[in-house]
Amino acid sequence: MTIADFLERLDGVRRSGSGWSARCPADDDRTPSLSIAQGKDGRVLVKCMAGCSTPAVLDALGLTTADLFSPSNASRSPAQAGIHRWRVNAVRPLRRIAQPKIDLLPHAKRWHSAADLTPLADLLGVTTESLVAMRTGWASATELRALRTGYTGRGCWTFPMRDDVGRLVGIRLRSEPDAIGRCRKYAVSGSRQGLFVPAGLQHSPPLLCVAEGATDTIALHTLGLPAVGVPSKGQGGDALVLLLQRVGPGRVLLLPDADDIDDHGMANIARRLAEHGIASHLAHPPGGAKDVRAYLNAGGDASGIRQLLDGPAESVVRQ
């Protein structure tokens, strides 16, 4: 794992000297107590100044000590290398997502029916039906202050995160656009990093698309494509393996954002799938779109996504 991949898993990341600081995932940080740096050999160095052990920090992120070492071959882009064939030696055991630190169900149930989703559908260029399928909701400023999210605005849209069997493990937050159109992203304190899974996902679909983030997953649903989402680059691999083993899709299409220049995040997920015998196809959205939602908003359709399967980026296991 690269240092960039590790930092993507954390909240409240900021520069600190020659390294970074962030909120520790193993406790209820309100201020950053986790120190992160990169060793000379490329490994990620982690220390919680509040006293959490490194194994506790890694367990909260669904990682092991081995993940702190920079991979030697994961940096090549499948778009450049064509077909990845990863040799599987010792397969790291799968880890299920730990239960969240707080009971999220009361908040999720209240928020799911609290807002008119039309403004968000217009903002994202998706259908309200797809937002409902994702169980999207709204959290007021009062609720957000009580949950210590750090957000001081009027409120946030909410997107639940689930484990491989559909249990609620986290809630992601997205603010309304500010004066220059930026939407800030947060998470409810105590959440775990899970998958974005629209309601009604069927077993054994011919194709299952995997996107980065909630809104790209919702965009795929709007296109009529079976889809799930990972939290961000390189996260959610174990939960995705378990879900795919349960759902059993015919083919798996991984769709990284265009800013994932070397496909590090999705390539790591493809490698994790391959370790467990699951072939996947990795390709960027058609037409140079920066992500799936941009492709949808530019007039793209489901056939353009399906045609990506004709490319050479299949990831398989070499015995």
Side-chain angles (χ1 to χ4, degrees), residues 228-270:
V228 298
V230 295
S232 57
K233 300 178 183 65
Q235 298 183 35
D238 281 11
L240 183 61
V241 169
L242 291 166
L243 182 142
L244 294 178
Q245 289 175 340
R246 180 173 61 84
V247 173
R251 300 189 73 178
V252 178
L253 176 61
L254 307 179
L255 292 159
D257 293 349
D259 62 359
D260 191 3
I261 298 173
D262 291 321
D263 304 317
H264 286 165
M266 280 297 191
N268 287 339
I269 287 178

Side-chain angles (χ1 to χ4, degrees), residues 4-65:
D5 294 332
F6 187 83
L7 293 173
E8 284 281 356
R9 296 172 178 261
L10 302 171
D11 295 322
V13 176
R14 64 183 68 171
R15 268 287 185 181
S16 178
S18 59
W20 295 264
S21 64
R23 291 198 290 272
C24 178
D27 57 44
D28 293 323
D29 260 352
R30 302 186 82 174
T31 56
S33 66
L34 191 68
S35 176
I36 310 101
Q38 186 167 28
K40 292 182 179 180
D41 57 357
R43 76 177 120 173
V44 181
L45 306 176
V46 182
K47 181 175 178 60
C48 177
M49 308 310 290
C52 298
S53 68
T54 298
V57 173
L58 296 176
D59 184 65
L61 295 172
L63 300 174
T64 67
T65 303

